Amino acid sequence: MLSRRLESIKSFLKKNDKVVDVGCDHGYLSIEVFENKLCQSVIATDINESALDRAKKNIREKNLPIRTILTDGLKNISTKDYDTVVISGMGTNTILHILDNEEKIKSVKKIILQSNNNRVKLREELNKLGFYLTDENIVYENKKYYITMLYIKSNEKNTKEEIKYGIIKKEHFAYYNYVITSYENIISKLPLKRFKERHALKKSIKELKKLMKKELKK
Ligand SMILES: C[S@@+](CC[C@H](N)C(=O)[O-])C[C@H]1O[C@@H](n2cnc3c(N)ncnc32)[C@H](O)[C@@H]1O
């Protein structure tokens, strides 16, 4: 079974997409996408030979005709073979390095990103590259929050608020817990002379967290 983190990428894929899974590592996402016919085609790529070997082994075991390519980002992939780029499990700088290739992203209509840091910078830069943030989801797994972003090709720009806070829909329960944790961090930075205030706030946060934990288990 796919991890919750990788599962959350699937909802952004459509039947007609020609997907390139950049930095596929084990290849689990590509395999899942292919086996369930979630899109028209999928190519699994990685910069690291042993990572790609892992993907090849997993693909071979299932006897699937998924193409694998050893390459840095989109470099050795023909633009006619993809219109949707998925990059997950990397940091913002690596993601931006991969997308810093005008020629290779010209024909891209959709980008799905899951960065593990600096999402504000990522949202800013994607607008500059001509991609508009249209959806985001959030999941909680192994004590971490994972936000997946869906971009479509457009010259439209996201608002300052959208860039800063994202556009996660409020029905994602993990979102509330994410917000609570952010508040908790702010509260812990209150000066010591506001100890009483800090203590009271911490107590309320603790109650809220308990409640959210129950909800997340549902
Ligand atoms: C932590 S793994 C994530 C694997 C998978 N995408 C996931 O979300 O589970 C990151 C993978 O990205 C690959 N990678 C890093 N930089 C890359 C680049 N410039 N081009 C292609 N792959 C890259 C690494 O070799 C590694 O296999």
Side-chain angles (χ1 to χ4, degrees), residues 55-88:
K56 282 182 183 168
K57 181 175 168 282
N58 290 332
I59 290 168
R60 216 181 304 120
E61 273 171 12
K62 293 199 164 233
N63 206 13
L64 300 173
I66 299 175
R67 257 178 84 195
T68 56
I69 301 176
L70 184 69
T71 182
D72 177 2
L74 300 164
K75 277 184 189 152
N76 296 331
I77 316 165
S78 166
T79 51
K80 66 175 171 19
D81 290 338
Y82 63 91
D83 58 19
T84 300
V85 178
V86 176
I87 311 174
S88 67

mmCIF file of all heavy atoms in Angstrom, residues 55-88:
data_model
loop_
_atom_site.group_PDB
_atom_site.id
_atom_site.type_symbol
_atom_site.label_atom_id
_atom_site.label_comp_id
_atom_site.label_asym_id
_atom_site.label_seq_id
_atom_site.Cartn_x
_atom_site.Cartn_y
_atom_site.Cartn_z
ATOM 1 N N ALA A 55 14.029 1.308 -8.399
ATOM 2 C CA ALA A 55 12.770 1.436 -9.149
ATOM 3 C C ALA A 55 12.678 0.331 -10.196
ATOM 4 O O ALA A 55 11.644 -0.342 -10.311
ATOM 5 C CB ALA A 55 12.702 2.806 -9.819
ATOM 6 N N LYS A 56 13.796 0.118 -10.938
ATOM 7 C CA LYS A 56 13.790 -0.905 -11.996
ATOM 8 C C LYS A 56 13.439 -2.277 -11.421
ATOM 9 O O LYS A 56 12.681 -3.025 -12.008
ATOM 10 C CB LYS A 56 15.172 -0.966 -12.651
ATOM 11 C CG LYS A 56 15.440 0.161 -13.644
ATOM 12 C CD LYS A 56 16.812 -0.046 -14.246
ATOM 13 C CE LYS A 56 17.182 1.079 -15.185
ATOM 14 N NZ LYS A 56 18.593 1.066 -15.560
ATOM 15 N N LYS A 57 14.045 -2.573 -10.256
ATOM 16 C CA LYS A 57 13.805 -3.881 -9.617
ATOM 17 C C LYS A 57 12.318 -4.028 -9.259
ATOM 18 O O LYS A 57 11.696 -5.045 -9.557
ATOM 19 C CB LYS A 57 14.681 -3.997 -8.362
ATOM 20 C CG LYS A 57 14.557 -5.291 -7.613
ATOM 21 C CD LYS A 57 15.558 -5.348 -6.462
ATOM 22 C CE LYS A 57 15.264 -6.500 -5.523
ATOM 23 N NZ LYS A 57 14.149 -6.237 -4.604
ATOM 24 N N ASN A 58 11.756 -2.983 -8.651
ATOM 25 C CA ASN A 58 10.342 -3.040 -8.253
ATOM 26 C C ASN A 58 9.424 -3.136 -9.476
ATOM 27 O O ASN A 58 8.410 -3.824 -9.451
ATOM 28 C CB ASN A 58 9.975 -1.809 -7.408
ATOM 29 C CG ASN A 58 10.636 -1.862 -6.050
ATOM 30 O OD1 ASN A 58 10.915 -2.936 -5.528
ATOM 31 N ND2 ASN A 58 10.911 -0.700 -5.470
ATOM 32 N N ILE A 59 9.814 -2.438 -10.541
ATOM 33 C CA ILE A 59 9.002 -2.459 -11.770
ATOM 34 C C ILE A 59 9.079 -3.856 -12.412
ATOM 35 O O ILE A 59 8.073 -4.420 -12.841
ATOM 36 C CB ILE A 59 9.492 -1.361 -12.750
ATOM 37 C CG1 ILE A 59 9.140 0.031 -12.193
ATOM 38 C CG2 ILE A 59 8.899 -1.544 -14.141
ATOM 39 C CD1 ILE A 59 9.812 1.199 -12.893
ATOM 40 N N ARG A 60 10.306 -4.413 -12.419
ATOM 41 C CA ARG A 60 10.518 -5.747 -13.007
ATOM 42 C C ARG A 60 9.722 -6.804 -12.251
ATOM 43 O O ARG A 60 9.087 -7.665 -12.857
ATOM 44 C CB ARG A 60 12.017 -6.074 -12.958
ATOM 45 C CG ARG A 60 12.485 -6.858 -14.180
ATOM 46 C CD ARG A 60 13.966 -7.189 -14.105
ATOM 47 N NE ARG A 60 14.836 -6.040 -13.942
ATOM 48 C CZ ARG A 60 15.668 -5.842 -12.915
ATOM 49 N NH1 ARG A 60 15.752 -6.701 -11.927
ATOM 50 N NH2 ARG A 60 16.436 -4.763 -12.859
ATOM 51 N N GLU A 61 9.759 -6.702 -10.920
ATOM 52 C CA GLU A 61 9.035 -7.694 -10.107
ATOM 53 C C GLU A 61 7.555 -7.749 -10.447
ATOM 54 O O GLU A 61 6.903 -8.777 -10.327
ATOM 55 C CB GLU A 61 9.191 -7.369 -8.615
ATOM 56 C CG GLU A 61 10.442 -8.000 -8.034
ATOM 57 C CD GLU A 61 10.741 -7.519 -6.633
ATOM 58 O OE1 GLU A 61 9.877 -6.878 -6.003
ATOM 59 O OE2 GLU A 61 11.873 -7.781 -6.176
ATOM 60 N N LYS A 62 7.031 -6.613 -10.888
ATOM 61 C CA LYS A 62 5.597 -6.563 -11.222
ATOM 62 C C LYS A 62 5.375 -6.733 -12.714
ATOM 63 O O LYS A 62 4.248 -6.666 -13.192
ATOM 64 C CB LYS A 62 5.013 -5.244 -10.745
ATOM 65 C CG LYS A 62 5.004 -5.148 -9.243
ATOM 66 C CD LYS A 62 4.042 -4.109 -8.773
ATOM 67 C CE LYS A 62 3.776 -4.299 -7.315
ATOM 68 N NZ LYS A 62 2.377 -4.401 -6.994
ATOM 69 N N ASN A 63 6.510 -6.875 -13.434
ATOM 70 C CA ASN A 63 6.440 -7.114 -14.870
ATOM 71 C C ASN A 63 5.679 -5.998 -15.612
ATOM 72 O O ASN A 63 4.809 -6.272 -16.443
ATOM 73 C CB ASN A 63 5.766 -8.473 -15.094
ATOM 74 C CG ASN A 63 6.189 -9.083 -16.409
ATOM 75 O OD1 ASN A 63 7.160 -8.604 -17.025
ATOM 76 N ND2 ASN A 63 5.478 -10.094 -16.849
ATOM 77 N N LEU A 64 6.020 -4.760 -15.270
ATOM 78 C CA LEU A 64 5.308 -3.622 -15.883
ATOM 79 C C LEU A 64 6.193 -2.925 -16.924
ATOM 80 O O LEU A 64 7.403 -2.782 -16.702
ATOM 81 C CB LEU A 64 4.917 -2.603 -14.799
ATOM 82 C CG LEU A 64 4.000 -3.106 -13.691
ATOM 83 C CD1 LEU A 64 3.836 -2.040 -12.612
ATOM 84 C CD2 LEU A 64 2.636 -3.494 -14.240
ATOM 85 N N PRO A 65 5.620 -2.478 -18.031
ATOM 86 C CA PRO A 65 6.427 -1.809 -19.066
ATOM 87 C C PRO A 65 6.629 -0.311 -18.803
ATOM 88 O O PRO A 65 6.376 0.522 -19.676
ATOM 89 C CB PRO A 65 5.604 -2.050 -20.334
ATOM 90 C CG PRO A 65 4.198 -2.093 -19.852
ATOM 91 C CD PRO A 65 4.204 -2.598 -18.448
ATOM 92 N N ILE A 66 7.105 0.037 -17.590
ATOM 93 C CA ILE A 66 7.308 1.468 -17.270
ATOM 94 C C ILE A 66 8.723 1.867 -17.685
ATOM 95 O O ILE A 66 9.697 1.197 -17.320
ATOM 96 C CB ILE A 66 7.107 1.733 -15.761
ATOM 97 C CG1 ILE A 66 5.684 1.365 -15.331
ATOM 98 C CG2 ILE A 66 7.425 3.184 -15.412
ATOM 99 C CD1 ILE A 66 5.432 1.493 -13.827
ATOM 100 N N ARG A 67 8.815 2.972 -18.459
ATOM 101 C CA ARG A 67 10.143 3.467 -18.878
ATOM 102 C C ARG A 67 10.860 4.101 -17.711
ATOM 103 O O ARG A 67 10.257 4.857 -16.942
ATOM 104 C CB ARG A 67 9.962 4.540 -19.955
ATOM 105 C CG ARG A 67 10.246 4.044 -21.349
ATOM 106 C CD ARG A 67 9.995 5.166 -22.319
ATOM 107 N NE ARG A 67 11.142 6.054 -22.434
ATOM 108 C CZ ARG A 67 11.084 7.253 -22.983
ATOM 109 N NH1 ARG A 67 9.944 7.731 -23.433
ATOM 110 N NH2 ARG A 67 12.174 7.993 -23.083
ATOM 111 N N THR A 68 12.172 3.828 -17.595
ATOM 112 C CA THR A 68 12.966 4.482 -16.553
ATOM 113 C C THR A 68 14.112 5.227 -17.231
ATOM 114 O O THR A 68 14.668 4.746 -18.225
ATOM 115 C CB THR A 68 13.546 3.456 -15.559
ATOM 116 O OG1 THR A 68 14.302 2.502 -16.295
ATOM 117 C CG2 THR A 68 12.474 2.756 -14.765
ATOM 118 N N ILE A 69 14.458 6.396 -16.716
ATOM 119 C CA ILE A 69 15.537 7.196 -17.320
ATOM 120 C C ILE A 69 16.443 7.747 -16.217
ATOM 121 O O ILE A 69 15.959 8.334 -15.238
ATOM 122 C CB ILE A 69 14.965 8.371 -18.159
ATOM 123 C CG1 ILE A 69 14.060 7.840 -19.282
ATOM 124 C CG2 ILE A 69 16.093 9.224 -18.753
ATOM 125 C CD1 ILE A 69 13.380 8.934 -20.109
ATOM 126 N N LEU A 70 17.760 7.545 -16.404
ATOM 127 C CA LEU A 70 18.744 8.088 -15.469
ATOM 128 C C LEU A 70 19.103 9.500 -15.942
ATOM 129 O O LEU A 70 19.696 9.674 -17.005
ATOM 130 C CB LEU A 70 19.992 7.193 -15.465
ATOM 131 C CG LEU A 70 21.085 7.568 -14.466
ATOM 132 C CD1 LEU A 70 20.636 7.325 -13.033
ATOM 133 C CD2 LEU A 70 22.364 6.785 -14.765
ATOM 134 N N THR A 71 18.709 10.502 -15.180
ATOM 135 C CA THR A 71 18.974 11.873 -15.621
ATOM 136 C C THR A 71 18.823 12.888 -14.483
ATOM 137 O O THR A 71 18.141 12.631 -13.488
ATOM 138 C CB THR A 71 18.015 12.285 -16.772
ATOM 139 O OG1 THR A 71 18.337 13.598 -17.211
ATOM 140 C CG2 THR A 71 16.555 12.253 -16.353
ATOM 141 N N ASP A 72 19.461 14.026 -14.670
ATOM 142 C CA ASP A 72 19.298 15.141 -13.740
ATOM 143 C C ASP A 72 18.022 15.892 -14.153
ATOM 144 O O ASP A 72 17.980 16.494 -15.227
ATOM 145 C CB ASP A 72 20.522 16.062 -13.834
ATOM 146 C CG ASP A 72 20.381 17.286 -12.950
ATOM 147 O OD1 ASP A 72 19.371 17.425 -12.236
ATOM 148 O OD2 ASP A 72 21.311 18.126 -12.968
ATOM 149 N N GLY A 73 17.017 15.813 -13.330
ATOM 150 C CA GLY A 73 15.758 16.520 -13.621
ATOM 151 C C GLY A 73 15.144 16.079 -14.929
ATOM 152 O O GLY A 73 14.933 14.891 -15.173
ATOM 153 N N LEU A 74 14.897 17.079 -15.820
ATOM 154 C CA LEU A 74 14.202 16.783 -17.073
ATOM 155 C C LEU A 74 15.164 16.672 -18.253
ATOM 156 O O LEU A 74 14.736 16.527 -19.402
ATOM 157 C CB LEU A 74 13.175 17.898 -17.340
ATOM 158 C CG LEU A 74 12.104 18.068 -16.256
ATOM 159 C CD1 LEU A 74 11.386 19.412 -16.396
ATOM 160 C CD2 LEU A 74 11.099 16.929 -16.323
ATOM 161 N N LYS A 75 16.464 16.752 -17.955
ATOM 162 C CA LYS A 75 17.466 16.910 -19.020
ATOM 163 C C LYS A 75 17.390 15.898 -20.171
ATOM 164 O O LYS A 75 17.393 16.284 -21.320
ATOM 165 C CB LYS A 75 18.881 16.919 -18.417
ATOM 166 C CG LYS A 75 19.218 18.303 -17.902
ATOM 167 C CD LYS A 75 20.610 18.419 -17.383
ATOM 168 C CE LYS A 75 20.751 19.787 -16.702
ATOM 169 N NZ LYS A 75 21.729 19.795 -15.648
ATOM 170 N N ASN A 76 17.352 14.609 -19.861
ATOM 171 C CA ASN A 76 17.395 13.599 -20.941
ATOM 172 C C ASN A 76 16.027 13.049 -21.316
ATOM 173 O O ASN A 76 15.916 11.935 -21.808
ATOM 174 C CB ASN A 76 18.322 12.441 -20.544
ATOM 175 C CG ASN A 76 19.749 12.919 -20.398
ATOM 176 O OD1 ASN A 76 20.164 13.881 -21.051
ATOM 177 N ND2 ASN A 76 20.491 12.292 -19.503
ATOM 178 N N ILE A 77 15.001 13.840 -21.084
ATOM 179 C CA ILE A 77 13.651 13.366 -21.414
ATOM 180 C C ILE A 77 13.088 14.239 -22.530
ATOM 181 O O ILE A 77 13.199 15.465 -22.483
ATOM 182 C CB ILE A 77 12.701 13.443 -20.189
ATOM 183 C CG1 ILE A 77 13.422 12.910 -18.936
ATOM 184 C CG2 ILE A 77 11.428 12.645 -20.422
ATOM 185 C CD1 ILE A 77 12.743 13.275 -17.658
ATOM 186 N N SER A 78 12.484 13.587 -23.514
ATOM 187 C CA SER A 78 11.926 14.335 -24.635
ATOM 188 C C SER A 78 10.624 15.018 -24.209
ATOM 189 O O SER A 78 9.753 14.379 -23.597
ATOM 190 C CB SER A 78 11.674 13.370 -25.796
ATOM 191 O OG SER A 78 10.859 14.008 -26.728
ATOM 192 N N THR A 79 10.485 16.284 -24.553
ATOM 193 C CA THR A 79 9.302 17.049 -24.104
ATOM 194 C C THR A 79 7.996 16.476 -24.663
ATOM 195 O O THR A 79 6.933 16.706 -24.094
ATOM 196 C CB THR A 79 9.406 18.533 -24.506
ATOM 197 O OG1 THR A 79 9.701 18.594 -25.886
ATOM 198 C CG2 THR A 79 10.458 19.246 -23.707
ATOM 199 N N LYS A 80 8.085 15.718 -25.762
ATOM 200 C CA LYS A 80 6.839 15.157 -26.310
ATOM 201 C C LYS A 80 6.319 13.987 -25.456
ATOM 202 O O LYS A 80 5.185 13.548 -25.613
ATOM 203 C CB LYS A 80 7.001 14.758 -27.774
ATOM 204 C CG LYS A 80 7.954 13.616 -28.032
ATOM 205 C CD LYS A 80 7.917 13.241 -29.514
ATOM 206 C CE LYS A 80 8.958 12.262 -29.951
ATOM 207 N NZ LYS A 80 9.667 11.417 -29.030
ATOM 208 N N ASP A 81 7.159 13.507 -24.550
ATOM 209 C CA ASP A 81 6.764 12.345 -23.743
ATOM 210 C C ASP A 81 6.067 12.700 -22.430
ATOM 211 O O ASP A 81 5.657 11.824 -21.684
ATOM 212 C CB ASP A 81 7.996 11.482 -23.426
ATOM 213 C CG ASP A 81 8.506 10.786 -24.667
ATOM 214 O OD1 ASP A 81 7.709 10.629 -25.623
ATOM 215 O OD2 ASP A 81 9.700 10.428 -24.709
ATOM 216 N N TYR A 82 5.971 13.995 -22.112
ATOM 217 C CA TYR A 82 5.302 14.352 -20.839
ATOM 218 C C TYR A 82 4.658 15.723 -20.936
ATOM 219 O O TYR A 82 5.093 16.580 -21.729
ATOM 220 C CB TYR A 82 6.311 14.335 -19.676
ATOM 221 C CG TYR A 82 7.433 15.348 -19.813
ATOM 222 C CD1 TYR A 82 7.295 16.631 -19.274
ATOM 223 C CD2 TYR A 82 8.603 15.038 -20.481
ATOM 224 C CE1 TYR A 82 8.311 17.568 -19.403
ATOM 225 C CE2 TYR A 82 9.620 15.969 -20.617
ATOM 226 C CZ TYR A 82 9.464 17.234 -20.083
ATOM 227 O OH TYR A 82 10.465 18.164 -20.221
ATOM 228 N N ASP A 83 3.599 15.908 -20.163
ATOM 229 C CA ASP A 83 3.014 17.246 -20.019
ATOM 230 C C ASP A 83 2.723 17.548 -18.548
ATOM 231 O O ASP A 83 2.249 18.606 -18.193
ATOM 232 C CB ASP A 83 1.737 17.396 -20.880
ATOM 233 C CG ASP A 83 0.669 16.377 -20.529
ATOM 234 O OD1 ASP A 83 0.726 15.790 -19.434
ATOM 235 O OD2 ASP A 83 -0.237 16.170 -21.367
ATOM 236 N N THR A 84 3.015 16.555 -17.706
ATOM 237 C CA THR A 84 2.776 16.692 -16.270
ATOM 238 C C THR A 84 4.029 16.264 -15.507
ATOM 239 O O THR A 84 4.552 15.177 -15.756
ATOM 240 C CB THR A 84 1.588 15.788 -15.849
ATOM 241 O OG1 THR A 84 0.431 16.206 -16.585
ATOM 242 C CG2 THR A 84 1.309 15.863 -14.371
ATOM 243 N N VAL A 85 4.498 17.133 -14.611
ATOM 244 C CA VAL A 85 5.721 16.832 -13.859
ATOM 245 C C VAL A 85 5.366 16.638 -12.386
ATOM 246 O O VAL A 85 4.695 17.474 -11.793
ATOM 247 C CB VAL A 85 6.734 17.996 -13.993
ATOM 248 C CG1 VAL A 85 7.991 17.714 -13.174
ATOM 249 C CG2 VAL A 85 7.101 18.231 -15.458
ATOM 250 N N VAL A 86 5.821 15.507 -11.822
ATOM 251 C CA VAL A 86 5.630 15.272 -10.390
ATOM 252 C C VAL A 86 7.002 15.250 -9.728
ATOM 253 O O VAL A 86 7.905 14.539 -10.169
ATOM 254 C CB VAL A 86 4.916 13.916 -10.121
ATOM 255 C CG1 VAL A 86 4.810 13.653 -8.617
ATOM 256 C CG2 VAL A 86 3.532 13.892 -10.762
ATOM 257 N N ILE A 87 7.182 16.096 -8.697
ATOM 258 C CA ILE A 87 8.446 16.095 -7.947
ATOM 259 C C ILE A 87 8.085 16.052 -6.462
ATOM 260 O O ILE A 87 7.489 16.988 -5.933
ATOM 261 C CB ILE A 87 9.300 17.357 -8.234
ATOM 262 C CG1 ILE A 87 9.431 17.611 -9.740
ATOM 263 C CG2 ILE A 87 10.675 17.216 -7.585
ATOM 264 C CD1 ILE A 87 10.145 18.913 -10.103
ATOM 265 N N SER A 88 8.457 14.965 -5.803
ATOM 266 C CA SER A 88 8.100 14.860 -4.381
ATOM 267 C C SER A 88 9.263 14.339 -3.559
ATOM 268 O O SER A 88 10.173 13.690 -4.074
ATOM 269 C CB SER A 88 6.900 13.920 -4.213
ATOM 270 O OG SER A 88 7.263 12.604 -4.544
#
